[in-house]
Amino acid sequence: MNNFDTIIIGGGPAGMEAAARLSKFDKKVLIIEKDSNIGGKLLLWDRLFPDFASSEELLNQLLENVKTNNVEVAINTDIKNIEKDGNNWIIEDSNNIKHSARTVLISTGFDVFDASRKEEYGYGIYPNVITSVDLEKILSKEVEHAEPKKVVFIQCVGSRDEKVGNHFCSKNCCICAVKQAIEVKEMYPETEVYCFYMDLRMFGESYEELYRTAQQEHGITFIRGRVSEISPTFDGQVQIKAEDTLLSRPIRLTTDLVVLMVGMEASEGTAKIGKQLNINGNYNYIKSKNQHIADNLTALDGIFVAGTSKRQMSIPETMKDAATAALEINNYLNS
């Protein structure tokens, strides 16, 4: 039996930040990560909104914090079972190794919505229909792409959608589309860029200013309307059928590239652990004890939660939540 003060399930930004802070409190910490690397969804992004900061720089800083604070990490490892034994929680992993800890932090994060579930958009069928995650690889020049004459962004793919069962707002897609649209214009100055949206929710610091910059300085056109269908044309482009709901008129637009702004969903690991421990809430996220005064606690003594395993968050919000979770766990262990 390997003994720890805290076992953190999930090695994304929340798990890494909490682990480093707990280690600074002289707590023995283990991160269990199912993938081959820690870093979570940071690995999918090149630059971050709203300040276009480098995701690689943030990731390297988190990795350095984990390393210098002697946090133990188990990669390529899943969770088979979690159960309470006296004052400790016993976790059996996919390598049949058992670990014991007084506290467990769930930071299993989110999954990106599978755009192929929205069949009317043709993702996986038409090569010039991609997701925001795919576009990030083009913007980072990890993937080469011919210069498009016209690019169309479509918001709320997999969010606020009764058809796929996700009634919630994913919170990050609006500002992400603005960021990526600006990056497209910076990479291809002659390209026309359009963005179809339901509502633009610019709630964060500098978000509204960035939206105005996109229009006034980069000439990006925002159209309030829902896209109903995407179909191929004879010359290899795609045609978009939509409605401009401000002008109450139909629109047909032919474009070289369509970018689907995919939302967030509870990860498979989050749903699995939530159901096993009976602490799952809406849409398979982990339910916190009280959003106002005990948001990092759960209904189970010694089980804590942080980041996007409980709801949609931006990276700054995730980092702050992880820091708070570390403080809550430290107080619990010292009490």
Side-chain angles (χ1 to χ4, degrees):
M1 184 79 71
N2 300 314
N3 297 306
F4 298 90
D5 293 305
T6 302
I7 295 173
I8 297 176
I9 305 175
M16 297 168 75
E17 176 71 4
R21 288 179 177 268
L22 282 166
S23 291
K24 289 179 180 178
F25 291 138
D26 295 322
K27 300 299 185 284
K28 188 178 180 183
V29 181
L30 169 68
I31 294 176
I32 297 178
E33 170 56 49
K34 66 179 179 61
D35 292 330
S36 57
N37 294 289
I38 57 175
K41 298 301 184 293
L42 264 181
L43 298 168
L44 300 177
W45 301 101
D46 178 43
R47 289 194 281 173
L48 307 175
F49 59 76
D51 59 353
F52 300 91
S54 167
S55 64
E56 184 178 9
E57 289 183 10
L58 174 57
L59 178 60
N60 288 340
Q61 184 60 59
L62 290 172
L63 288 170
E64 182 65 22
N65 292 343
V66 166
K67 180 180 178 181
T68 56
N69 288 286
N70 299 313
V71 175
E72 292 191 38
V73 178
I75 58 173
N76 294 315
T77 304
D78 212 337
I79 305 298
K80 287 178 64 176
N81 188 53
I82 306 176
E83 60 184 11
K84 191 76 178 287
D85 182 14
N87 292 325
N88 288 351
W89 287 93
I90 309 299
I91 293 181
E92 183 179 2
D93 67 28
S94 54
N95 299 312
N96 299 317
I97 299 173
K98 290 188 176 181
H99 313 276
S100 174
R102 283 187 61 196
T103 58
V104 174
L105 175 63
I106 301 171
S107 59
T108 41
F110 69 95
D111 282 341
V112 176
F113 177 78
D114 180 5
S116 64
R117 289 164 58 188
K118 294 290 291 180
E119 297 177 359
E120 63 269 32
Y121 292 159
Y123 181 71
I125 302 172
Y126 313 134
N128 41 2
V129 177
I130 66 174
T131 68
S132 46
V133 176
D134 300 326
L135 178 62
E136 207 64 26
K137 295 178 181 179
I138 296 173
L139 296 172
S140 66
K141 298 183 179 179
E142 178 183 341
V143 173
E144 292 187 4
H145 193 280
E147 180 174 346
K149 295 181 179 179
K150 193 178 296 182
V151 176
V152 172
F153 288 82
I154 298 177
Q155 292 278 26
C156 297
V157 178
S159 305
R160 304 173 68 191
D161 190 334
E162 293 185 8
K163 181 179 178 181
V164 299
N166 292 338
H167 297 182
F168 56 82
C169 170
S170 284
K171 195 174 182 178
N172 296 284
C173 312
C174 287
I175 186 61
C176 183
V178 173
K179 176 200 83 89
Q180 289 189 328
I182 290 174
E183 289 179 288
V184 168
K185 287 293 289 186
E186 289 176 341
M187 182 177 285
Y188 309 119
E190 301 303 317
T191 298
E192 295 179 34
V193 179
Y194 299 82
C195 181
F196 283 86
Y197 67 93
M198 293 173 62
D199 303 287
L200 285 172
R201 300 184 171 188
M202 298 293 155
F203 67 91
E205 182 181 359
S206 302
Y207 287 14
E208 182 68 24
E209 291 82 353
L210 195 65
Y211 167 52
R212 291 183 182 183
T213 298
Q215 296 177 87
Q216 296 170 1
E217 296 183 16
H218 298 279
I220 297 164
T221 301
F222 291 83
I223 302 173
R224 189 177 186 273
R226 193 83 185 224
V227 173
S228 61
E229 182 185 348
I230 297 176
S231 57
T233 63
F234 71 92
D235 57 355
Q237 296 181 307
V238 289
Q239 184 182 80
I240 292 173
K241 294 180 181 179
E243 179 188 6
D244 186 326
T245 55
L246 290 179
L247 300 178
S248 298
R249 68 180 186 185
I251 293 177
R252 286 189 181 184
L253 189 64
T254 301
T255 182
D256 302 299
L257 187 66
V258 173
V259 181
L260 306 178
M261 302 305 300
V262 283
M264 307 166 73
E265 292 184 313
S267 70
E268 183 180 346
T270 298
K272 178 182 176 182
I273 292 174
K275 289 176 182 177
Q276 182 178 352
L277 296 176
N278 197 28
I279 53 173
N280 56 311
N282 294 332
Y283 306 105
N284 286 322
Y285 286 101
I286 301 298
K287 184 178 182 180
S288 66
K289 191 172 184 179
N290 185 301
Q291 286 194 33
H292 302 287
I293 59 174
D295 199 29
N296 294 111
L297 281 63
T298 70
L300 298 176
D301 184 51
I303 300 288
F304 296 79
V305 60
T308 54
S309 53
K310 58 184 174 181
R311 71 183 69 92
Q312 304 79 28
M313 293 185 186
S314 65
I315 289 179
E317 290 171 327
T318 296
M319 302 293 288
K320 293 172 186 175
D321 193 59
T324 304
L327 184 61
E328 291 276 13
I329 292 171
N330 184 61
N331 291 340
Y332 177 92
L333 291 169
N334 293 340
S335 64

